[in-house]
Amino acid sequence: MKRFLLIGGLLATCLPISSFAAQGIEAITVASDGKSYSVTLQVLAMMTLMTVLPTLLIMMTSFTRIIIVFSILRQAMGTPQTPSNQILLGLALFLSFFIMTPVLEKANDEALQPYLSDKMTANVAIEKGLEPFRAFMLRQTRADDLEMFLRISGEESPSDLTVVPLSLLLPAFVTSELKTAFQIGFMIFIPFLIIDMVVASVLMSMGMMMLSPLIISLPFKLMLFVLVDGWSLVMETLASSFFI
């Protein structure tokens, strides 16, 4: 009896939804070009955009370089669990927002606000909104990396780099960001590596070969990092590297 009641309740719950879906939601206009889309299509487009946003955050902003440098810094200090991943991601996210603020403001003024005011169509707004990001990525992309992807794709190098398609600019930008991040990480790693080598040499000269040098060098690395105000230096270096 309980099984029949459960089945009946499920059917009663699903019937209004199915009939509502069959009738559909009355279409509304979402663009100034006169095209109309149903609310269900809007929800589908919004959910699709939400899944793509993390990829866009990594691929088109300063986030990649920042999070890689923070990860290398944590390994160089000998504290692989501190700060935690959540803290590093939060720092990288807010520092990326600080760096990308001029780009976001320009995209908002030139694309989003005119679109919301029905002064341009959705396609034009997308093109206008991508222009600040394209300019940002071009400034940070090495010419060699861009030439490599142009050569792989079989396309000739255009005289105006602003017309380079995003399918080529995005991988070139990410490749350049990886190179720059590892270069900065290498420079950060050197002082901590010197401390590890000095501590290991001292312990070996004292015959304390069974004692791990990492245990002894960790307090010295933390003290050095605090004395030189390491976090401020790292964040200043990362932020200034995008404005040079």
Side-chain angles (χ1 to χ4, degrees), residues 10 13 21 34 54 61 65-66 73 92 94-95 104 127 130 134-135 150 183-184 192 213-214 216 238 242:
L10 291 176
T13 306
T61 65
R65 182 189 304 185
I66 296 172
L73 172 63
F94 285 108
L95 188 57
L104 295 175
E127 294 177 0
L130 287 176
R134 184 191 296 272
L150 287 171
Q183 289 176 354
I184 298 175
F192 300 105
L214 297 178
I216 306 300
L238 285 171
F242 288 96

Side-chain angles (χ1 to χ4, degrees), residues 27-67:
I28 59 175
T29 302
V30 296
S32 59
D33 54 3
K35 293 183 179 180
S36 297
Y37 303 93
S38 65
V39 177
T40 54
L41 290 180
Q42 290 185 23
V43 174
L44 178 61
M46 185 62 67
M47 295 302 294
T48 303
L49 181 61
M50 292 299 293
T51 60
V52 175
L53 279 178
T55 304
L56 295 178
L57 174 65
I58 295 174
M59 297 288 288
M60 300 177 64
T61 65
S62 58
F63 184 84
T64 301
R65 182 189 304 185
I66 296 172
I67 193 62

Side-chain angles (χ1 to χ4, degrees), residues 95 230-241:
L95 188 57
W231 286 112
S232 297
L233 289 176
V234 171
M235 292 186 181
E236 182 181 0
T237 301
L238 285 171
S240 61
S241 66

Side-chain angles (χ1 to χ4, degrees), residues 2 12 26 37-38 50 62 72 85 96 115 131 136 140 164 166 193 206 243:
K2 293 182 178 180
E26 188 174 315
Y37 303 93
S38 65
M50 292 299 293
S62 58
I72 294 176
N85 293 331
S96 299
Y115 172 72
E131 289 179 0
F136 170 79
Q140 305 301 326
V164 175
L166 286 177
L193 180 61
M206 296 175 61
F243 293 101

Side-chain angles (χ1 to χ4, degrees), residues 197-211 213:
M197 293 176 62
V198 170
V199 171
S201 300
V202 171
L203 291 178
M204 186 166 293
S205 63
M206 296 175 61
M208 304 174 65
M209 293 177 292
M210 300 300 295
L211 183 62

